[in-house]
């Protein structure tokens, strides 16, 4: 359940950004979460509702999660493939010389405030 | 319909904590206090390892221990028995410590006069790896009964550790499917700079190497 700790950090950052923009209320938060970022969106949503209910500025705030697909690049054959499906080994040439090019994101993209 | 305004944030969820951790690292550096973040699963032998480590080093440096747990003070009591200062931090249900909680613990504890502080993180291989505590170095204990496949299952944890102590090596004859070669290879693949030390906190096997690693790191830290 590390989503709880993550939600604490998101709420803290969002509250600071909102306060810095003289906002009174945050209506929506958009996150970009990579497929292999180890964050599970459904757990995040549960923690989100609970945590926001404790914050005057964020009570009832909508959470939108944009999932970023995980893609791995093979250094040997220079192909890219789905990380979730094939993991570390390149499905085209069997090489282990691969690295993740996207899918590990955990970013706050934007917020909506009044 | 209320008029909402969109603000572009584009910041990592961990950015605030990472910046806070870096500040704490600098504060500790100014005091010359070496903070070791010790992580493992529950039951890997953190407290037993710590007790033996304290016995070996308490004559040559001032040591303090911060025990982070969800609840109870059994670990802090066990450490108090060794004669060094110990404090228990309750995370209040949280599965890890972040830099802010670590700083609060450090300030409450008062570490200015200490050379070596060990932060015994919550027993867990997932979240403690994601939240930088502001420690000088990260250590992890993997015990033989947990299996040699753990680096494959918790890659992030192994990739952020400066040293991995493979504990309970006295049980290798029982857990004979645990391969020392395989575990070392898997760790180094994730983290080529990691030091891998095979030891047993129960028998003391391999401890010389572990103690030497700590001594060397602290010496370099205090000189630089």
């Amino acid at each position: 359940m590390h989503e709880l700790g993550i939600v604490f950090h998101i709420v803290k950052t969002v509250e600071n950004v909102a306060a810095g923009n003289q906002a009174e209320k945050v209506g929506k938060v958009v996150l970009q979460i990579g497929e292999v970022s180890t964050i599970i969106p459904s757990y995040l949503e549960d923690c989100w509702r609970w945590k926001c209910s404790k914050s005057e500025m964020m009570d009832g705030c909508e959470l939108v999660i944009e999932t970023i697909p995980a893609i791995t690049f093979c250094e040997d054959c220079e192909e890219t493939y789905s990380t979730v499906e094939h993991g570390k080994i390149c499905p085209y040439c069997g090489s282990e010389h691969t690295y993740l090019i996207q899918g590990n994101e955990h970013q706050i993209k934007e917020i909506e405030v009044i | 319909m209320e008029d909402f305004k969109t603000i572009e944030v584009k910041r990592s969820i961990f950015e605030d904590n990472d910046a806070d951790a870096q500040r704490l690292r600098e504060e500790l550096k100014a005091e010359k206090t070496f903070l070791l973040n010790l992580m493992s699963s529950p039951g890997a032998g953190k407290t037993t390892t710590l007790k033996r480590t304290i016995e070996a080093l308490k004559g040559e440096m001032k040591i303090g221990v911060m025990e982070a747990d969800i609840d109870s003070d059994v670990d802090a009591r066990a450490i108090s028995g060794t004669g060094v200062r110990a404090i228990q931090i309750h995370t209040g249900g949280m599965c890890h410590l972040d830099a802010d909680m670590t700083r609060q613990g450090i300030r409450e504890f008062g570490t200015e006069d200490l050379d070596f502080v060990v932060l015994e993180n919550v027993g867990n291989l997932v979240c403690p790896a994601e939240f930088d505590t502001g420690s000088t170095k990260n250590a992890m204990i993997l015990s033989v009964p947990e299996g040699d496949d753990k680096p494959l299952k918790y890659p992030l944890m192994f990739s952020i550790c400066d040293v991995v102590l493979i504990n309970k090596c006295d049980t290798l004859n029982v857990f004979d499917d645990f391969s020392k070669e395989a575990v070392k290879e898997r760790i180094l693949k994730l983290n080529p700079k990691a030091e891998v030390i095979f030891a047993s906190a129960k028998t003391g096997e391999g401890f010389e190497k572990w103690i030497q690693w700590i001594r060397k790191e602290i010496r370099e830290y205090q000189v630089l």
Side-chain angles (χ1 to χ4, degrees):
Chain A
M1 274 305 281
H2 66 159
E3 282 76 8
L4 181 61
I6 288 166
V7 162
F8 273 64
H9 281 274
I10 299 171
V11 168
K12 197 167 139 193
T13 303
V14 168
E15 282 178 340
N16 286 340
V17 171
N21 284 277
Q22 287 78 45
E24 282 173 21
K25 200 149 176 58
V26 182
K28 186 169 155 183
V29 171
V30 182
L31 304 179
Q32 288 178 316
I33 304 292
E35 249 183 327
V36 294
S37 67
T38 77
I39 298 172
I40 300 172
S42 65
Y43 289 175
L44 201 65
E45 279 158 12
D46 289 342
C47 300
W48 180 258
R49 276 194 289 277
W50 176 81
K51 177 66 182 164
C52 286
S53 71
K54 311 271 170 201
S55 160
E56 210 172 297
M57 192 187 255
M58 297 189 60
D59 193 14
C61 178
E62 184 191 350
L63 178 68
V64 177
I65 299 175
E66 295 179 1
T67 303
I68 298 182
I71 298 174
T72 296
F73 175 75
C74 173
E75 286 178 309
D76 287 341
C77 71
E78 300 189 345
E79 290 282 352
T80 56
Y81 63 89
S82 157
T83 314
V84 173
E85 218 172 307
H86 303 287
K88 186 93 183 89
I89 312 281
C90 174
Y92 300 102
C93 72
S95 167
E96 280 189 38
H97 301 130
T98 59
Y99 60 87
L100 191 70
I101 49 176
Q102 65 167 63
N104 193 30
E105 296 76 7
H106 20 64
Q107 186 158 250
I108 305 169
K109 185 187 174 193
E110 60 189 30
I111 62 176
E112 279 185 17
V113 299
I114 33 171
Chain B
M1 185 76 194
E2 286 173 298
D3 200 10
F4 278 96
K5 172 175 82 169
T6 301
I7 303 172
E8 195 173 84
V9 183
K10 292 235 158 134
R11 275 163 71 178
S12 159
I13 290 165
F14 300 108
E15 199 176 290
D16 279 354
N17 186 61
D18 288 348
D20 200 17
Q22 195 51 37
R23 277 196 298 278
L24 180 59
R25 234 186 312 279
E26 283 158 19
E27 289 162 28
L28 290 168
K29 179 77 185 161
E31 302 174 0
K32 289 192 185 282
T33 300
F34 185 101
L35 179 66
L36 183 71
N37 176 23
L38 186 61
M39 298 171 284
S40 81
S41 323
K46 283 197 295 293
T47 308
T48 313
T49 300
L50 214 45
K51 280 165 78 177
R52 195 176 269 277
T53 306
I54 291 165
E55 284 307 323
L57 290 169
K58 71 178 180 187
E60 55 191 278
M61 57 182 76
K62 288 199 188 101
I63 306 174
V65 176
M66 303 203 301
E67 294 282 350
D69 264 310
I70 287 173
D71 208 343
S72 102
D73 61 354
V74 289
D75 285 347
R77 274 176 208 242
I79 296 299
S80 294
T82 62
V84 303
R85 267 164 64 199
I87 187 177
Q88 182 80 46
I89 305 173
H90 283 163
T91 60
M94 289 278 239
C95 47
H96 63 277
L97 280 178
D98 61 20
D100 190 42
M101 289 188 257
T102 307
R103 178 184 284 101
Q104 284 177 30
I106 291 260
R107 295 301 160 231
E108 174 118 344
F109 196 31
T111 55
E112 298 86 351
D113 61 326
L114 299 175
D115 304 302
F116 179 38
V117 176
V118 183
L119 171 64
E120 197 181 316
N121 214 317
V122 181
N124 173 348
L125 296 183
V126 185
C127 333
E130 288 176 331
F131 289 91
D132 189 343
T133 56
S135 63
T136 318
K137 293 281 169 180
N138 291 317
M140 116 156 244
I141 302 176
L142 173 71
S143 65
V144 167
E146 291 172 72
D148 57 19
D149 59 349
K150 290 298 166 288
L152 304 174
K153 294 188 173 177
Y154 304 95
L156 184 63
M157 172 58 77
F158 289 88
S159 67
I160 61 144
C161 280
D162 300 288
V163 60
V164 180
L165 189 74
I166 310 290
N167 193 25
K168 306 192 187 178
C169 282
D170 54 299
T171 67
L172 275 168
N173 58 339
V174 182
F175 297 96
D176 54 7
D177 53 351
F178 186 100
S179 161
K180 287 166 90 171
E181 293 72 29
V183 80
K184 190 167 178 175
E185 192 191 311
R186 287 166 184 162
I187 295 169
L188 293 180
K189 196 161 181 186
L190 291 164
N191 183 356
K193 286 190 218 148
E195 183 92 26
V196 181
I197 300 171
F198 293 94
S200 163
K202 194 173 163 193
T203 66
E205 167 197 345
F207 255 63
E208 211 165 299
K209 214 173 158 196
W210 163 246
I211 298 296
Q212 258 166 15
W213 181 87
I214 297 171
R215 264 198 202 113
K216 180 179 135 280
E217 291 294 331
I218 295 180
R219 208 178 295 134
E220 284 174 5
Y221 176 76
Q222 293 188 331
V223 170
L224 288 174

